[in-house]
Every structure is written in structure tokens, then in C-alpha cells.
Amino acid sequence: MEANQATSKGSRTVVLVLRLLTFVFLLTSLIILATNTATVETTDGDAKIKFQDVIAFRYMIATIVIGFAYNLLQTTISIYSIVTGNRLLSGDAGYLFDFYGDKVVSYLLATGAAAGLGVAKELHPFFKDILELPLNKFFAMAYASGSLLLLGFITTAISSVFSSYALPKKVQN
């Protein structure tokens, strides 16, 4: 029984580390994308381009915020679990919440990263070659934010694997 508790505590620690990594990736991604602006000189004067001007970047922000909120909640629950040795949500509810929450949030993060990276890949050549607008920094920041969001998805997906393994062992049929 003692070896099982050590494995359980070890896996809880790994999940906490994954959640902390996700926290850092999502926070950094959020900061980069939210502060991403560019000013372009046009014949009508200067035009300021912000992330809000691109719908896919707005979707990306929404997925980051949802993932960030969920991850913050799960990080708090993980810390409580490690410190006290007890789960905050007792019984099957906690394991089901972990299982389904990790799945849904990881899919949201994946689609947010795909949308952001995809639109940046498509729009950058358009602005650069066709409109001849130098927005390299704007799109470099979008790529950086999307890449960090993708890393946040990966760490959440790995955490999801741990919740998948815990589910059949703990939930009563």
C-alpha cells in the first residue's frame, strides 16, 4: 500500500509541475498577444493594427483565458492535494472533473493555437508581398504567442493522460 501512495504522490507532483508549466506558457502567451500592436504608415496617415483586428487572434485570446482560468483552478486543487494529502473534491466527482476538464481544455488550447498560427501563416505573406506593409514584428509576436499556446496544449494534454490513468482506478462502476 505504501508504494501505491508514493506513486500517487509522485504522479500528483508531476501533474502539479505540468500545471505550473502550463500556467507559465499561457500567461506568457497572453501577455505577448495582448500587447501585440503595429503602426503602419499609409497615405491617409498612420494606422494602428492590434490583435483585436484579427478574429482568429481574438479566438486565441479567448482560449488562453479559458485555459488559464481552468489551469489556475486545477493548480490550486493540486497544491491543496499535495499539501493535505486529500483531494478537494472527494469521491468520483474530482476524478471526473479532472478527466473531462483536461480533455475539453486541451482541445480548446489546441484549436486556439491552430487558429492563431494558421492565420499568422496566411496573413503574413499577404501583408508583406501584396500590400507591401512591413509587419514582420507583429506576426513574429503572433507566432511566438501561438507557439507558447501550443506548448500549453502539450503540457495540458500530458496532464490529461495522467487524469485518464487515474479515472478507471478510482471511479466506481
Side-chain angles (χ1 to χ4, degrees), residues 105-170:
V105 170
S106 66
Y107 291 145
L108 278 173
L109 296 178
T111 59
L117 291 170
V119 78
K121 175 75 172 143
E122 292 294 319
L123 287 180
H124 189 206
F126 175 76
F127 279 97
K128 183 178 168 190
D129 299 334
I130 296 172
L131 298 180
E132 297 179 359
L133 296 174
L135 295 173
N136 292 335
K137 184 180 176 198
F138 181 78
F139 286 108
M141 299 269 288
Y143 286 130
S145 180
S147 298
L148 288 166
L149 181 53
L150 186 61
L151 290 172
F153 154 70
I154 291 169
T155 54
T156 302
I158 294 169
S159 177
S160 170
V161 170
F162 281 93
S163 66
S164 297
Y165 284 140
L167 189 65
K169 295 176 187 174
K170 305 297 181 183

Side-chain angles (χ1 to χ4, degrees), residues 39-56:
T39 304
V40 178
E41 292 180 22
T42 65
T43 55
D44 296 331
D46 288 349
K48 191 168 189 175
I49 299 173
K50 302 176 289 281
F51 81 91
Q52 297 100 318
D53 297 330
V54 181
I55 291 173

Side-chain angles (χ1 to χ4, degrees), residues 26 30 59-71 109 149:
L26 294 181
L30 179 66
Y59 177 74
M60 203 169 138
I61 283 279
T63 61
I64 292 170
V65 169
I66 291 168
F68 188 78
Y70 172 78
N71 189 61
L109 296 178
L149 181 53

Side-chain angles (χ1 to χ4, degrees), residues 7 18 55 74-75 110 168:
T7 303
L18 288 168
I55 291 173
Q74 284 288 38
T75 301

Side-chain angles (χ1 to χ4, degrees), residues 31-104:
I31 291 168
I32 290 171
L33 190 59
T35 59
N36 193 12
T37 61
T39 304
V40 178
E41 292 180 22
T42 65
T43 55
D44 296 331
D46 288 349
K48 191 168 189 175
I49 299 173
K50 302 176 289 281
F51 81 91
Q52 297 100 318
D53 297 330
V54 181
I55 291 173
F57 291 160
R58 284 190 272 170
Y59 177 74
M60 203 169 138
I61 283 279
T63 61
I64 292 170
V65 169
I66 291 168
F68 188 78
Y70 172 78
N71 189 61
L72 191 59
L73 174 68
Q74 284 288 38
T75 301
T76 305
I77 291 171
S78 292
I79 290 170
Y80 176 83
S81 175
I82 289 172
V83 169
T84 65
N86 299 320
R87 292 184 55 85
L88 188 61
L89 297 172
S90 61
D92 297 347
Y95 293 104
L96 291 171
F97 178 72
D98 292 348
F99 178 76
Y100 289 113
D102 285 348
K103 299 292 183 257
V104 169

